[in-house]
Amino acid sequence: MGELREPLQQLAECGLPMALEAMGERWSFMILRAAFNGVRHFEEFLSEISIARNILANRLTRLTESGILHRTPCPDDRRKVEYRLTEKGLDLLPTMIALRQWGEKWGTGVLSNPVLVDDRDRQPILPVTIRSHDGRVLGYMDLCWMHSADITPISADMHDIDDRVRKLSAI
Amino acid sequence: MGELREPLQQLAECGLPMALEAMGERWSFMILRAAFNGVRHFEEFLSEISIARNILANRLTRLTESGILHRTPCPDDRRKVEYRLTEKGLDLLPTMIALRQWGEKWGTGVLSNPVLVDDRDRQPILPVTIRSHDGRVLGYMDLCWMHSADITPISADMHDIDDRVRKLSAI
DNA sequence: AGTATAAGTTTCTATTTGCAACTTAATTTT
DNA sequence: AAAATTAAGTTGCAAATAGAAACTTATACT
């Protein structure tokens, strides 16, 4: 039975503190959600989420500084500014969906509507889960910590496994 | 091409605000990480993360109130109190790992060590992703919103598909 | 020229954070 | 049994942050 116990001294050395420095503030995830929903302009964010003007301005510059949003003055209307998600920002989607799904699962029984679906077959997406290298869903007890030096590389099989995962993903 | 654009009026009706109410505060994720690493007592949290005493006390009661931690006085040493993750708390693991992986990917090139592995075969876990009902990895552009009423149930096939996913997960 | 809009700033107040010292109850040590 | 230590908090106070409302600046429309 795996024990998920990270060496305590190294607790500070994972990516979480860095992630929280960028995303840990009160409104960051709400701003991000709006951005994912196509919101791009200051006044649009403002009317979308109930945030104070100055705080929004502050958060937008901070998210821009940390490379999550990209800020461009609009060429067609030079009063306007466009905030767009960068690749780094787009990469937060799994985190956001996972958090949202958790909120939906444990929230006050609010049947969430509308629902996120795969555009291809219009079926709801799966709950976000943790998976082993070969795609098995893993729970808390299936995980443990290892030093990367001690991991047996499966490079020979790698292509093979990638292929199997791809096949799996293409059902 | 799918457009991930949620009806704006309904932005407030997803699980995210609720999730953020419980987990959106400054130290909540760090406390959670410690809890996942087996930390259970007040003084242990205190020496693990650089948080002030009163703030920790406040966060622990709040996380307890929102059902993420469970608080029990220790029977063997009645000075001590045990904080343990509830099922609701354990269910935040995918969110936390996703956020952590993002931090590792986009952080300052810190080769994170140790690494999370599947206890069964000692191989690193996959990046947390969004998947379609049949297990395909989906990106931002593959998603769209639908009213649950408009979704064609696949209950007839359901067992079949579940089966295929299970097979996929068992490679 | 006059009004409206977009994206901020500024000012001022209220809340939250964080440090340091204090408390209370239960254990260990001497 | 008395004294010291430990665990889990509280309290008081200074500093930082959040938030509401009014103000600014540059553009654009009429």
Side-chain angles (χ1 to χ4, degrees), chain B residues 76-92:
Chain B
D76 52 309
D77 182 343
R78 288 170 53 229
R79 290 170 303 179
K80 286 191 186 174
V81 167
E82 234 190 33
Y83 290 97
R84 271 170 180 281
L85 287 162
T86 61
E87 198 198 336
K88 182 174 176 182
L90 288 169
D91 227 17
L92 277 164

Side-chain angles (χ1 to χ4, degrees), chain A residues 146-160:
Chain A
M146 273 184 77
H147 284 274
S148 43
D150 300 334
I151 293 173
T152 312
I154 48 168
S155 39
D157 289 309
M158 199 60 123
H159 177 263
D160 230 72

Side-chain angles (χ1 to χ4, degrees), chain A residues 113-117 122-123, chain B residues 144-152:
Chain A
N113 216 350
V115 129
L116 255 187
V117 302
R122 305 273 152 170
Q123 291 299 316
Chain B
C144 68
W145 292 100
M146 273 185 77
H147 285 274
S148 42
D150 300 334
I151 292 174
T152 312

Side-chain angles (χ1 to χ4, degrees), chain B residues 41-163:
Chain B
H41 304 288
F42 190 91
E43 307 284 336
E44 216 179 338
F45 280 105
L46 206 56
S47 64
E48 206 48 56
I49 53 193
S50 59
I51 189 176
R53 228 151 219 293
N54 54 342
I55 307 298
L56 177 62
N58 184 286
R59 289 305 108 84
L60 286 175
T61 55
R62 219 179 284 210
L63 288 171
T64 301
E65 277 166 6
S66 56
I68 290 166
L69 296 177
H70 180 73
R71 183 187 183 284
T72 339
C74 284
D76 52 309
D77 182 343
R78 288 170 53 229
R79 290 170 303 179
K80 286 191 186 174
V81 167
E82 234 190 33
Y83 290 97
R84 271 170 180 281
L85 287 162
T86 61
E87 198 198 336
K88 182 174 176 182
L90 288 169
D91 227 17
L92 277 164
L93 186 60
T95 302
M96 212 188 53
I97 302 282
L99 189 53
R100 184 189 166 127
Q101 287 178 340
W102 180 85
E104 276 164 6
K105 175 170 178 183
W106 294 98
T108 55
V110 181
L111 242 306
S112 54
N113 216 349
V115 130
L116 254 187
V117 301
D118 171 14
D119 189 51
R120 180 161 135 183
D121 56 15
R122 306 275 151 167
Q123 292 298 315
I125 59 172
L126 292 178
V128 172
T129 53
I130 294 163
R131 299 197 183 224
S132 67
H133 72 103
D134 54 2
R136 279 171 289 121
V137 173
L138 301 177
Y140 168 59
M141 283 306 186
D142 304 318
L143 297 169
C144 68
W145 292 100
M146 273 185 77
H147 285 274
S148 42
D150 300 334
I151 292 174
T152 312
I154 47 169
S155 39
D157 288 308
M158 198 60 124
H159 176 262
D160 231 71
I161 280 157
D162 260 9
D163 225 47

